[in-house]
């Protein structure tokens, strides 16, 4: 906004929306005068804000798809945990050929589901993130990334360890402040996500046909830890998407 507070009170223009009120600033985009009531839209007047909102489609449908996919990930994580707990807790399960054959069959099925579900979840989540960042930037609340970079940073080595969390935190704080960010436990979400990937990689390296029972036990325990982290990350991510989306839609209706 361009301040006009230093002008003489007799020379101050009136707000075109509220003709009974004097203007205190001018929109940086179109130069329209605004009163203190119209300053809620930040550095743009209400009309410019409405145009930006109209140019930024809602992310509500994408949020629904992302949360649905994350619920399916949570269900898969529970199934995988139960499968591994069976192998760990049931006496003789790892020594019995029939039990191992059953475990392997179920594990192959769940692995196949995961091979489809995880890429799908990544795609729908990043589609939602791209739309959310686009809306935030259009409203003048910059989150430190363009919509394209908010997606692209996930695929850049080392950058993808930190930047996605920073963008996520910027969105949440831009909508609800640090209090909202703290209540959503974004650090726990991101730590659980990264730890699940690390543990999954370790389990895959250790896995091999006909593992001795002692080594198989270690693999099962590592996989249990990985799926616990996946479940925690999925639940917290669903909470984050819901909290962000409610506030995005509230902004759209307000604008």
């Amino acid at each position: 906004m361009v301040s006009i507070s230093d002008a003489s009170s007799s020379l101050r223009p009136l707000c075109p929306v509220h003709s009974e009120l004097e203007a205190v600033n001018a929109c940086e985009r179109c130069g329209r005068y605004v009163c203190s009531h119209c300053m809620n839209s930040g550095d743009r007047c209400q009309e410019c804000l409405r145009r930006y909102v109209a140019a930024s489609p809602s992310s509500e449908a994408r949020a629904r798809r992302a949360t649905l996919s994350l619920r399916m990930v949570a269900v898969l994580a529970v199934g995988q945990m139960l499968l591994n707990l069976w192998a760990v807790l049931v006496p003789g399960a790892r020594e019995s050929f029939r039990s191992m054959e059953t475990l392997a069959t179920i594990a192959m099925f769940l692995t196949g589901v995961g091979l489809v579900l995880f890429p799908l979840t990544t795609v729908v989540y990043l589609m939602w993130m791209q739309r959310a960042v686009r809306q935030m930037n259009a409203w003048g609340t910059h989150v430190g990334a363009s919509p394209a970079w908010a997606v692209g940073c996930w695929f850049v080595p080392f950058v993808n360890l930190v930047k996605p969390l920073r963008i996520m935190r910027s969105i949440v704080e831009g909508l609800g402040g640090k209090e909202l960010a703290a209540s959503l436990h974004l650090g726990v979400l991101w730590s659980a996500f990264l730890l699940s990937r690390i543990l999954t990689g370790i389990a895959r390296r250790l896995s091999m046909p006909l593992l001795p029972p002692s080594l198989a036990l270690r693999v099962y325990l590592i996989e249990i830890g990985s799926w616990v982290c996946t479940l925690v990350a999925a639940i917290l991510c669903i909470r984050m998407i819901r909290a962000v989306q409610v506030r995005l839609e509230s902004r759209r209706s307000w604008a």
Side-chain angles (χ1 to χ4, degrees), residues 226-246:
S226 171
W227 289 111
V228 168
C229 291
T230 299
L231 179 61
V232 170
I235 292 173
L236 291 179
C237 193
I238 290 171
R239 285 188 61 213
M240 184 272 295
I241 292 174
R242 285 177 173 174
V244 168
Q245 195 57 43
V246 166

Side-chain angles (χ1 to χ4, degrees), residues 73-84:
V73 168
V75 172
L76 176 64
V78 171
Q80 290 279 19
M81 282 191 295
L82 292 175
L83 180 65
N84 285 282

Side-chain angles (χ1 to χ4, degrees), residues 165-236:
L165 174 61
R166 290 181 177 175
I167 295 172
M168 191 188 310
R169 193 182 298 279
S170 296
I171 292 174
V172 173
E173 291 182 355
L175 292 170
K178 295 185 181 296
E179 296 79 7
L180 178 62
S183 68
L184 294 176
H185 306 292
L186 299 180
V188 176
L189 187 167
W190 193 246
S191 297
F193 170 71
L194 293 180
L195 186 56
S196 70
R197 295 177 63 183
I198 293 171
L199 292 177
T200 298
I202 294 173
R204 287 177 179 172
R205 288 191 176 187
L206 292 176
S207 296
M208 62 184 70
L210 301 176
L211 281 173
S214 59
L215 184 56
L217 176 60
R218 295 180 186 178
V219 174
Y220 291 136
L221 291 175
I222 293 171
E223 288 185 349
I224 290 171
S226 171
W227 289 111
V228 168
C229 291
T230 299
L231 179 61
V232 170
I235 292 173
L236 291 179

Side-chain angles (χ1 to χ4, degrees), residues 49 52 143 154 185 211 218 225 233:
L49 179 61
Y52 269 79
V143 298
W154 282 76
H185 306 292
L211 281 173
R218 295 180 186 178

Side-chain angles (χ1 to χ4, degrees), residues 106-121:
I106 299 174
M108 286 180 62
F109 170 75
L110 294 179
T111 299
V113 172
L115 289 175
V116 176
L117 184 57
F118 283 116
L120 175 64
T121 303

Side-chain angles (χ1 to χ4, degrees), residues 18-212:
H18 305 94
S19 57
E20 72 282 4
L21 299 177
E22 290 183 346
V24 295
N25 281 318
C27 175
E28 290 186 351
R29 183 176 182 275
C30 68
R32 185 193 302 266
Y33 292 119
V34 293
C35 64
S36 57
H37 179 75
C38 296
M39 286 178 61
N40 294 331
S41 56
D43 62 350
R44 299 186 181 97
C45 65
Q46 290 185 350
E47 183 59 31
C48 286
L49 179 61
R50 290 191 185 96
R51 291 178 181 177
Y52 269 79
V53 170
S56 302
S58 172
S59 55
E60 187 174 10
R62 295 186 178 188
R64 286 197 300 268
R65 289 193 287 268
T67 52
L68 175 60
S69 188
L70 284 164
R71 287 194 192 102
M72 296 171 66
V73 168
V75 172
L76 176 64
V78 171
Q80 290 279 19
M81 282 191 295
L82 292 175
L83 180 65
N84 285 282
L85 283 171
W86 177 27
V88 170
L89 299 178
V90 174
R94 297 188 303 278
E95 289 78 9
S96 170
F97 177 78
R98 179 172 295 180
S99 296
M100 292 302 296
E101 189 177 24
T102 303
L103 284 171
T105 302
I106 299 174
M108 286 180 62
F109 170 75
L110 294 179
T111 299
V113 172
L115 289 175
V116 176
L117 184 57
F118 283 116
L120 175 64
T121 303
T122 301
V123 169
V124 295
Y125 172 80
L126 291 179
M127 288 176 64
W128 171 78
M129 177 62 67
Q130 184 270 346
R131 183 65 58 81
V133 170
R134 180 179 174 185
Q135 291 181 61
M136 295 292 290
N137 287 349
W139 294 334
T141 307
H142 296 286
V143 298
S146 65
W149 179 235
V151 174
C153 69
W154 282 76
F155 304 98
V156 180
F158 302 109
V159 174
N160 58 9
L161 298 176
V162 178
K163 189 62 176 180
L165 174 61
R166 290 181 177 175
I167 295 172
M168 191 188 310
R169 193 182 298 279
S170 296
I171 292 174
V172 173
E173 291 182 355
L175 292 170
K178 295 185 181 296
E179 296 79 7
L180 178 62
S183 68
L184 294 176
H185 306 292
L186 299 180
V188 176
L189 187 167
W190 193 246
S191 297
F193 170 71
L194 293 180
L195 186 56
S196 70
R197 295 177 63 183
I198 293 171
L199 292 177
T200 298
I202 294 173
R204 287 177 179 172
R205 288 191 176 187
L206 292 176
S207 296
M208 62 184 70
L210 301 176
L211 281 173

